[in-house]
Amino acid sequence: MTHEAKDVLRDAHSLLRAARELLVDHRQALSDVHEALAPLRREAAREQLGSIPIARLKDVTDGRLRLGPLEEAGFTSVGDVLDATPYRLQLLPGIGPQTARQLHAAAGSLAEAAERSAGVRIDVDRRDEAMTPVVVALHRLVNAGPELPRAHAAADSVDGRLGPLVRDARPAGAWWRRVFARPSRRERAREAIGELAEALGQEEGRSTRLLLSQASVDLLRPHVSPDEAWIDFELRASDYQTLLAELAALGPEREAAEGFLPGDLAARVKAQPLDDGFRRVSLRGYQSFGARFALVQRRVILGDEMGLGKTIQAIAAIAHLRARGETRFLVACPASVLINWVREIETRSTISAHPLHGPGRGKALEKWAAEGGIAVTTLATLHTLDVPGDVKLGMFVVDEAHYAKNHETRRSRAVAHWCRRTNHVLFLTGTPMENRVEEFRSLVAHLRPEVAEKVRPSDAAMGAQAFRSAVAPVYLRRNQRDVLVELPEVVHVDELEEFSRADKAAYRDAVAEGNFMAMRRAAYAVPKKSAKLDRLRELVVEAAENDLKVVIFSYFRDVLATVQDAIGVAARGPISGDVPPARRQEIVDAFTAAPGHAVLLAQIQAGGVGLNLQAASVVIICEPQVKPTMETQAVARAHRMGQVRTVQVHRLLTPGGVDARMLEILQAKTRLFDEYARRSDLAERTPDAVDISEQALARRIVAEEQERLGT
């Protein structure tokens, strides 16, 4: 018994020490961030105080201070009072030493409050001695990876559970402690040893020791150089901004983040736990709320504006249900986003993804039914799924759910069938439902018919917030402008679109001819059957529904002409190399002045340089570019001073062809460009110095593709 007790105590001490060391390391990493934030908070607070009138000083002192002498002396803001010393204040007529001290102290208390509430954002264009330490400090936490929150929670749990047990079990570990302990103490020690052994077994099953060890190693890495930190920030800005929003308590207004739901419903949603055991991504506050809403209300529409992460919220809800014992889930989406769904599931969760699409659909369906996971199929093929009736579904997710609005279509009937088989149903759509009540009523009828019957056109007539309040049991929507503080300044989305049969045939012909330029635009060769064009149309329609302006870039004029025909709207442009500078500016001015949604077409080598396009908040790049500088400069046209919305950059890519090969080869060049061109005035004036030769790239890719396709 003594040896066994010693072994148990030794293992418990070891695990407890590892947990407490991780907690200390994590606190230190957080402390480093807050220390780096302090100067920026002070700076933001001082700027804020400069706009606060001195009348606010009366609020701090319950109106006891006379402010007339300050106003007569030209003081207008609290910042003016704070900048003056008490000695200078008492030199003013009508202000004695005591009043001067009180005035300065009141200004100081407002400054402290301003610092506590000051929001801080990372400005990629401001790489000075105040901003850079924040990025360096955040780098350590961001690069500790998605397992850090789990490791921290596990360390907290181990500390809380094992700490008291180790203390109670101490007499069992040495004969002299047993001798001097009271009988009741010895009995408790024996019980504690048993409880410790059980707890250690459970933690071993969860691989807790390995989880803690890896997290500690990551947190103890030395700080990287400023350049390396900034490069990493540019590659993963979303992760940095999300973490900063969490640590700096920077968030949107509570009601906006909660979609203006009634208070009692919002309280129930916030009380809902959200298990992250199968999730590998941190959520922003409003995203966590959205996932909880789906779990609490069970059958809902999540209508967040495009770019706010509806997919991640759906995955978070699924991960929670998986942790609670559900094993099978189904996602139905347009074919154009199926690959993106599979990729998001694989990178954002530890749940297996099963694409039910293409020739191997039958075997994939059998594997999913037998093993579980998340099946992803298209809305067009949903009706063909032959799933045994005894297969229980944990959640059914429909992306771009507005496609199921017409109950007479085969697609809508298939959606209705799966809704009946499932308790948890989540519809995703970026279309603002308050603008189309009949469509909303049709979708709700799939979920909760009794609620659909109560929806009236007059609900929408009262305004967006009134509509959302009226349909709160089934509908949650947040807009970018409401939750913008938690968003990165630029959201990059790679839209992976598999070749259609027609695309593939055109691509093979181009490869056989050794025509690199034809290979790059093969995805647009047959417009009526182009997968990329289908996705581009969807992006433009969704932007139109949300009143967003769109800029579409391509290297090729004929691709832009094809896009113009495909989107079916009066797009401005195209801006091309032969359009005189004055005319280019006229086109841009008309685009900027247009009310609401508008589309501008531009050749990337022409429209990507020298023009300000900050009216646009959606950028679509039709194909990857040979020179990394081209895409960077094109995005910079929209993401620049004066831009008030998050810029969404959608790059249309085809896996398995020239797009994928270009990206693989250019990846190393892009990193060099990040390290050199963005930090060198000379390099920015001559970006070709670090770009790969187009001829060399073309020869290499053509040869490799000819070999791969046997042409």
Side-chain angles (χ1 to χ4, degrees), residues 54 57-58 60-61 64-70 75 78 81-82 84 86 89-90 92 94-110:
I54 59 174
L57 294 174
K58 283 189 175 182
V60 180
T61 59
R64 292 194 303 269
L65 291 176
R66 289 176 55 246
L67 303 179
L70 288 178
F75 286 72
V78 174
V81 177
L82 195 65
L89 291 174
Q90 75 181 51
L92 299 175
I95 296 180
Q98 182 177 354
T99 302
R101 287 194 298 270
Q102 289 175 335
L103 285 169
H104 204 267
S109 66
L110 285 176

Side-chain angles (χ1 to χ4, degrees), residues 372-426:
I374 304 176
V376 186
T377 191
T378 67
L379 286 165
T381 58
L382 181 62
H383 71 281
T384 67
L385 295 187
D386 184 15
V387 181
D390 59 349
V391 172
K392 183 186 174 189
L393 209 60
M395 176 174 271
F396 176 43
V397 177
V398 182
D399 195 9
E400 306 291 356
H402 47 276
Y403 287 137
K405 63 185 177 183
N406 185 351
H407 286 230
E408 302 304 314
T409 63
R410 184 170 60 185
R411 174 171 50 202
S412 186
R413 290 196 298 270
V415 167
H417 166 75
W418 281 100
C419 286
R420 290 192 293 270
R421 284 187 59 168
T422 316
N423 287 328
H424 282 93
V425 181
L426 178 56

